[in-house]
Amino acid sequence: MSEVLFRELYRIRHVEQEVARVYPTDKIKSPVHLSIGQEAVSVGVCQTLRADDIVFGTYRSHALFLAKGGNLRAMIAELYGKATGCTRGKGGSMHLIDVAAGVMGTSAVVGTTIPLAVGYAYALKMRGSGALVAAFFGDGAVDEGAFHESMNFAALKKLPVLFVCENNLYAIHSPQAARQAKSNLCERAASYGMHAEHVEYGDVFTIRDRTAAAVSAIRAGSGPRFIECMTYRWKEHVGPGDDFAAGYRTRAEAEPWYARDSLNLIGARLDPAVRARIEHEVQAEVRDAFEFAESSPFPGHEELLTDVYGVA
Amino acid sequence: MTRKLSYAEAIREATEQEMARDPSIIVLGMGVDDFRGIYGTTKGLVEKFGSDRVFDTPLSEDAMTGVAIGAALAGLRPIHVHIRMDFLLLAMNQIINIAAKARYMYGGAVSVPIVVRSVIGRSWGQGAQHSQGLHSLFMHVPGLRVVAPSTPYDAKGCMASALRHPDPVMFVEHRMVHFQKGVVPEEPFTVPFGRARTLAPGKDVTLVGVSHMAVECLRARSLLEQAGIQAEVIDPVSLSPLDADGIAASVKKTGRLVVVDTSWTFCGTSAEIVTAVLERTQGKRDVSFARLGYAPGTCPTTKPLENLYYPNPQTIAMAAHTLVKGEGTRWEPRTSEAPEVVEFKGPF
Ligand SMILES: Cc1ncc(C[n+]2csc(CCOP(=O)(O)OP(=O)(O)O)c2C)c(N)n1
Ligand SMILES: [Mg+2]
């Protein structure tokens, strides 16, 4: 089991490190919101999901996309703006989707996918599908009215939704305490009548196990559940660099998070030969994806206005 | 007087001077007090005026717009800042149902003097939800003022006017004009709403460019010179009220009008400007006209398609050339991409 988790975590970390490495070449002409440091949330949750379960995310969804089984080649090609990208180069890093893998939507407008997840869950329930929807969002999205209105409706209709708040303590440079009078998201979720869990240290096993329990309850008809996973963004809000020099947060705050990084902790416990094999395999896969993106064509000019409207 | 400022610095300076003059002005919005200070436009304000007057907000556009309106009803003058115009879509109810209508619905008993600043994005993969120019939505609604100056001078003067104005003012900026430099007097001054500015004179064709497209029209003008065409370039500056008389005066002279918007043409600002001009010229002067704007679709992130999405000096100049020389006189001037677009790596 550790091997699977290690592979998943390492794969996402390595992909994003490669994105950061390539970024200065300007081949990725797009804002990139990296999840480096936060991978355990997507991996821990998605490990408990079925292939037919659905996820919705944010502009910071590289990790979620990959953890849910999104196509890596299509993702990198999308970052490069190529026709082989997951949205044919039209959406970029902030709008990754993979409908076949259940990555149903990511949005650059904070909070906007939360009600979409609820609506999707309504349809699933109505059709008796047995699948559920996981809505991923940040501690900033919780400030939006749409979050609260969605929680209320999901609870009212007992919908199969798992609300996953990735609390990385900041919305851009604004700490949670500058935006919310209390840090009590679980209490607030509970007040809507749904069970809420708080996971303090971003440990992938804990996230997976707590989610597994929530997921079985939801499948058994409990209605929505809420899980708040504390985590930490290692890089700047957007872009590949560090930003401790900016002054809004300190390296000292980050250090405990480096120390408890699930990827490093699991990696250190793995048989070195096994670890080397996994890393090697992942690196080859990632290299292939970047080569695929590099060698893919840009969309042709005739594609500018395709898919604005459907065929009536 | 030759001191030059960037457009972003001009907004900052106007805000600072007006805040010093009028203690009722407050600045709120996500990131207004952080180290970036909204591309420099709010930098240093919290240090100077304190955190009661300059503050970060939760991510709550709808409610915070209502909060700004409530504060305005009580006598404050809030400037509510949004780093993208797309986010105003979360604030539409408060802006249109309350701010625009309050004076009328209260029988004249109240004012809502809020200034809503928002920035239209472009380049570096801003994409569908970070690049929309939605000014015509606000122009449509009585009770709102909408300004979108393109020069640092007008940015400073319009901001000062907005902060002395009795009505809600939608202050539209374009990320690509933040970098424009120009002469800006140091002392406070105002630029009146409802007066267009002629940026460059000409007799053959009138080019009207909204916000960043005014900059592109000036470049198109240089291209047209190579073809012996003299284009007059007009920045409407204020979109509502619109200086239709001023623009029409230019068109009466040239007989030709090209309106270039940093948005879609259908039901947009360009439609309004053309109509307003034709209303004033019909029966007096034959006018040929053309409109350019975003391609009629969603903004793509990939660069080759994004390049096609926007009007540029070449397409503007070609449209003007056709009006002057007639159909079938195909002329394709060589031009390079706008430097501010090429250099922009934002990321936002
Ligand atoms: C509606 C809306 N308002 C503001 C923004 C600008 N913005 C982009 S990301 C962000 C912070 C979001 O923070 P959080 O939800 O905690 O997610 P994180 O970036 O930390 O993953 C803000 C304010 C936006 N994209 N959409
Ligand atoms: Mg956050």
Side-chain angles (χ1 to χ4, degrees):
Chain A
M1 198 62 215
S2 293
E3 280 181 35
V4 174
L5 289 174
F6 178 78
R7 176 187 287 272
E8 288 290 305
L9 291 168
Y10 177 73
R11 184 164 173 264
I12 297 168
R13 177 76 51 91
H14 184 61
V15 165
E16 291 208 304
Q17 281 170 340
E18 285 298 291
V19 169
R21 193 179 62 76
V22 168
Y23 205 66
T25 65
D26 291 350
K27 286 179 178 165
I28 298 173
K29 291 184 174 52
S30 167
V32 286
H33 302 77
L34 301 182
S35 303
I36 292 177
Q38 302 189 193
E39 302 92 337
V41 182
S42 291
V43 170
V45 171
C46 288
Q47 280 292 307
T48 71
L49 299 183
R50 300 194 318 220
D52 64 339
D53 288 334
I54 298 297
V55 298
F56 283 85
T58 72
Y59 48 86
R60 191 186 307 288
S61 280
H62 295 176
L64 176 61
F65 178 93
L66 292 171
K68 186 62 178 62
N71 184 299
L72 175 60
R73 279 179 151 198
M75 169 184 156
I76 305 301
E78 187 57 42
L79 267 54
Y80 274 72
K82 298 298 182 73
T84 51
C86 60
T87 72
R88 306 194 58 75
K90 293 178 173 184
S93 160
M94 299 196 287
H95 302 289
L96 298 179
I97 51 115
D98 188 329
V99 172
V103 183
M104 269 313 296
T106 56
S107 168
V109 183
V110 172
T112 44
T113 57
I114 303 172
L116 307 185
V118 172
Y120 207 104
Y122 185 90
L124 291 178
K125 185 176 177 189
M126 203 177 109
R127 291 184 180 156
S129 98
L132 62 78
V133 185
F136 286 74
F137 49 88
D139 53 293
V142 169
D143 298 352
E144 294 283 2
F147 164 73
H148 297 276
E149 296 167 30
S150 302
M151 296 277 282
N152 179 51
F153 185 74
L156 179 71
K157 299 288 181 186
K158 287 208 169 358
L159 300 179
V161 187
L162 178 67
F163 293 97
V164 183
C165 179
E166 295 192 53
N167 187 342
N168 62 8
L169 312 177
Y170 294 92
I172 309 189
H173 311 124
S174 181
Q176 190 182 8
R179 295 174 284 109
Q180 297 167 20
K182 288 179 84 177
S183 175
N184 64 342
L185 296 185
C186 285
E187 270 176 55
R188 293 200 238 169
S191 74
Y192 289 109
M194 71 181 80
H195 184 85
E197 291 268 357
H198 176 90
V199 180
E200 187 63 25
Y201 294 122
D203 169 59
V204 71
F205 294 101
T206 314
I207 294 170
R208 182 197 59 192
D209 295 346
R210 301 281 187 85
T211 314
V215 162
S216 4
I218 293 170
R219 288 206 209 283
S222 76
R225 296 217 161 190
F226 179 88
I227 182 163
E228 177 186 26
C229 300
M230 302 308 292
T231 183
Y232 202 75
R233 155 170 67 73
W234 292 9
K235 298 291 178 187
E236 55 193 331
H237 168 71
V238 52
D242 290 337
D243 67 354
F244 297 110
Y248 75 97
R249 59 180 192 166
T250 61
R251 195 177 284 278
E253 182 183 77
E255 255 144 25
W257 289 99
Y258 299 152
R260 57 173 85 103
D261 178 37
S262 286
L263 171 63
N264 286 335
L265 294 177
I266 301 177
R269 286 201 305 263
L270 278 187
D271 175 345
V274 172
R275 177 178 180 162
R277 175 178 52 76
I278 295 173
E279 289 181 354
H280 192 75
E281 287 167 7
V282 168
Q283 285 162 16
E285 186 201 0
V286 173
R287 204 177 309 119
D288 163 78
F290 275 81
E291 282 166 12
F292 173 78
E294 295 260 354
S295 62
S296 291
F298 283 106
H301 288 184
E302 71 286 355
E303 285 212 39
L304 177 63
L305 295 177
T306 53
D307 293 324
V308 179
Y309 300 101
V311 182
Chain B
M1 259 323 295
T2 53
R3 185 194 61 147
K4 287 198 168 180
L5 287 186
S6 74
Y7 187 100
E9 289 163 342
I11 287 184
R12 205 204 67 81
E13 185 168 274
T15 309
E16 180 175 349
Q17 290 177 347
E18 293 301 304
M19 288 182 81
R21 183 188 58 77
D22 179 354
S24 70
I25 297 173
I26 61 171
V27 180
L28 65 152
M30 275 163 253
V32 295
D33 60 353
D34 77 10
F35 64 96
R36 291 250 162 82
I38 316 287
Y39 316 123
T41 60
T42 61
K43 228 174 162 164
L45 296 179
V46 68
E47 289 79 2
K48 180 146 185 194
F49 298 106
S51 56
D52 277 354
R53 291 184 66 192
V54 182
F55 57 91
D56 194 17
T57 69
L59 287 73
S60 310
E61 289 83 357
D62 180 9
M64 291 314 301
T65 305
V67 167
I69 295 169
L73 288 171
L76 295 185
R77 281 185 168 273
I79 308 177
H80 192 188
V81 189
H82 302 264
I83 55 171
R84 281 293 174 272
M85 197 171 206
D86 314 70
F87 307 156
L88 290 184
L89 292 170
L90 282 80
M92 290 307 252
N93 174 48
Q94 291 290 349
I95 294 173
I96 293 179
N97 276 328
I98 307 291
K101 298 172 173 57
R103 179 191 308 285
Y104 191 87
M105 290 169 69
Y106 283 66
V110 298
S111 286
V112 179
I114 59 169
V115 177
V116 180
R117 285 183 50 201
S118 66
V119 182
I120 301 172
R122 173 170 171 181
S123 185
W124 205 253
Q126 301 297 300
Q129 301 168 336
H130 275 55
S131 62
Q132 295 173 90
L134 302 170
H135 32 285
S136 70
L137 299 186
F138 300 102
M139 290 168 65
H140 187 62
V141 179
L144 300 176
R145 307 293 187 181
V146 185
V147 297
S150 75
T151 64
Y153 179 92
D154 284 330
K156 178 170 176 183
C158 283
M159 182 53 76
S161 291
L163 289 169
R164 299 171 190 204
H165 204 282
D167 298 321
V169 178
M170 308 301 297
F171 196 101
V172 181
E173 302 159 37
H174 195 291
R175 188 70 181 106
M176 296 296 120
V177 299
H178 276 158
F179 308 101
Q180 294 297 313
K181 288 219 153 74
V183 173
V184 181
E186 218 160 322
E187 66 279 6
F189 64 95
T190 58
V191 165
F193 293 172
R195 203 168 306 158
R197 186 174 297 287
T198 304
L199 296 178
K203 61 174 179 46
D204 298 323
V205 56
T206 302
L207 307 181
V208 177
V210 176
S211 188
H212 182 234
M213 286 302 149
V215 179
E216 295 285 61
C217 283
L218 285 171
R219 295 180 177 129
R221 183 176 183 273
S222 308
L223 296 176
L224 287 163
E225 272 172 4
Q226 298 164 18
I229 295 171
Q230 292 176 24
E232 182 145 288
V233 177
I234 296 184
D235 174 358
V237 181
S238 152
L239 301 177
S240 177
L242 179 70
D243 183 9
D245 291 337
I247 299 170
S250 168
V251 180
K252 280 177 191 159
K253 181 176 66 180
T254 62
R256 302 180 187 94
L257 171 65
V258 179
V259 185
V260 193
D261 194 7
T262 175
S263 185
W264 300 286
T265 54
F266 190 76
C267 271
T269 304
S270 66
E272 189 55 44
I273 292 176
V274 168
T275 308
V277 167
L278 294 185
E279 281 167 350
R280 285 160 180 76
T281 54
Q282 62 183 348
K284 298 177 192 142
R285 178 80 158 103
D286 265 353
V287 174
S288 55
F289 61 90
R291 292 189 290 150
L292 283 80
Y294 293 174
T298 301
C299 183
T301 47
T302 189
K303 184 74 177 158
L305 296 187
E306 194 192 58
N307 287 347
L308 294 179
Y309 190 71
Y310 292 96
N312 60 48
Q314 185 186 43
T315 58
I316 298 166
M318 285 167 65
H321 185 272
T322 303
L323 290 189
V324 177
K325 306 270 166 153
E327 296 288 345
T329 57
R330 191 162 168 83
W331 167 76
E332 222 181 295
R334 286 165 55 84
T335 134
S336 44
E337 205 181 345
E340 65 276 9
V341 174
V342 177
E343 284 156 25
F344 184 75
K345 293 177 187 177
F348 285 118

